[in-house]
Amino acid sequence: MLDTLWSLVVLFIPTLFWGLVFLISFRREPRQFRNAIWFALFVLTAVGTLTLLALSLSAPSEPVQVALLIALVVLAILAPAAVILFLLINAVIVIRREGLSPSTALPGLLGLGLLAILVLDYLVLRGGTSRWLTYLMVLATLEMLWMVFTFAALLLYSTFYRMLPRKRRYDYIIIHGAGLQGERPTPLLQGRLDKAVQLWERQGRFGALIASGGKGDDEAISESEAMRRYLRDTHGVPDDAILTEDRSTTTFENLTFSKEIMDALSGTGRKAYRAALVTSDYHVFRACEYAHRIRLNADGVGSRTSGYYWPAAFIREFIAISRSHWWPYAVIALPVLIVALGR
């Protein structure tokens, strides 16, 4: 009995370790990218441990073990192909509905990039390639593995973060701009505005709504003005409950300039006020990470995004977050470059 208990403890040590690391990091500050890594490692080790435990308890027969092994091999081969095919199909759908642009082309570009790496791996493994091509394959494959892992980790954690209960009462509700159609908010921005009003009404119409967004070169009015009109005319929000921030052109500026308004009205300090950041669901985590950087006490609230547009939008978010956390890619590349240049 004791041997069995000790074996279970040893088996679950990796899961317990990463779970503890995640809880400590999450407790200190939930709005950090590192939490996504710890959470993903916790989930992976938990799933792996439970799978091993189930297999050991059920003691599958040899044919079942062979079938499981074949299924894993087939999955390992088909999964990358399925992901690439999905990205290419999604790119076609998004481009047909939204038009061709760098953001709508992202799923297709990512799919083609993954395909190119797999083709390079195949050519090198076949043999007859140069030494430099082999190093390039190793580097590209390692970078791809880290990218895929962090993409999955961010997707998993950002979903978990958005699902956390939000039962606080907010002094300010910041609404992030998302473009205009003429002088009206785009459907994406209307979704954010509707979600903000829903939150505002749920807390008894308490607090102020901050419409945040400047005026683009091709726009007749600022996003904040169009948002104010929509809140007033569509939802009947009184003017004295709406504040406008009309200087920002980026997410970081949305938060920075909105914080200046809130600090001026309520004072500074972590306990002076609490805010909610209302943006599209795919954008919540990055907005909250920026809020952490500027020491803004705020929670993220996401509005729903159309399913066909979501992959392209989340890939854009992943790229933006990866640019801020670029150093692991450099750490991965360094030993490969040292070996390649040393020979």
Side-chain angles (χ1 to χ4, degrees), residues 13 60 72 110 248 323 341:
I13 282 178
L72 288 174
L110 180 59
S248 59
R323 288 175 60 187
L341 295 175

Side-chain angles (χ1 to χ4, degrees), residues 79-92:
V83 170
I84 292 171
L85 184 61
F86 169 79
L87 290 171
L88 295 176
I89 292 175
N90 180 253
V92 173

Side-chain angles (χ1 to χ4, degrees), residues 228-244:
R228 184 188 69 80
R229 294 178 186 179
Y230 181 87
L231 291 170
R232 181 194 62 197
D233 299 339
T234 303
H235 291 288
V237 179
D239 285 330
D240 59 3
I242 305 172
L243 302 173
T244 57

Side-chain angles (χ1 to χ4, degrees), residues 157-209:
Y157 181 70
S158 62
T159 302
F160 167 78
Y161 181 80
R162 292 199 315 271
M163 292 173 63
L164 294 174
R166 310 291 190 207
K167 296 183 179 180
R168 300 183 178 94
R169 204 173 188 217
Y170 299 104
D171 302 289
Y172 299 98
I173 300 173
I174 305 169
I175 312 164
H176 291 256
L180 302 179
Q181 291 178 338
E183 296 186 4
R184 288 187 56 80
T186 60
L188 188 70
L189 181 51
Q190 288 181 28
R192 298 180 182 185
L193 291 161
D194 295 342
K195 188 70 175 182
V197 172
Q198 179 185 353
L199 176 60
W200 181 66
E201 290 180 339
R202 192 175 69 197
Q203 60 180 31
R205 297 198 162 199
F206 170 80
L209 296 161

Side-chain angles (χ1 to χ4, degrees), residues 90 94 97-98 187-188 280-282 303-313:
N90 180 253
V94 175
R97 295 193 181 189
E98 302 288 336
L188 188 70
S280 301
D281 48 11
Y282 63 83
S303 62
R304 185 180 177 277
T305 306
S306 297
Y308 77 90
Y309 186 74
W310 204 92

Side-chain angles (χ1 to χ4, degrees), residues 2-126:
L2 289 176
D3 290 341
T4 302
L5 182 60
W6 176 246
S7 298
L8 285 174
V9 171
V10 172
L11 189 63
F12 276 95
I13 282 178
T15 302
L16 295 173
F17 174 77
W18 290 119
L20 182 61
V21 171
F22 168 70
L23 287 175
I24 293 174
S25 180
F26 183 84
R27 178 76 176 175
R28 289 178 177 173
E29 176 52 64
R31 302 170 297 175
Q32 294 189 97
F33 179 67
R34 70 185 66 171
N35 292 333
I37 305 300
W38 309 146
F39 188 63
L41 290 171
F42 165 69
V43 172
L44 280 175
T45 53
V47 170
T49 301
L50 291 174
T51 301
L52 289 174
L53 184 61
L55 291 174
S56 63
L57 292 177
S58 60
S61 62
E62 185 174 341
V64 174
Q65 293 177 352
V66 173
L68 288 174
L69 180 61
I70 293 174
L72 288 174
V73 172
V74 171
L75 181 62
I77 295 173
L78 294 183
V83 170
I84 292 171
L85 184 61
F86 169 79
L87 290 171
L88 295 176
I89 292 175
N90 180 253
V92 173
I93 294 173
V94 175
I95 291 172
R96 288 182 62 181
R97 295 193 181 189
E98 302 288 336
L100 179 61
S101 68
S103 61
T104 57
L106 279 176
L109 294 174
L110 180 59
L112 292 174
L114 294 175
L115 180 60
I117 293 175
L118 293 179
V119 170
L120 178 62
D121 290 347
Y122 172 74
L123 293 175
V124 171
L125 291 175
R126 279 190 60 187

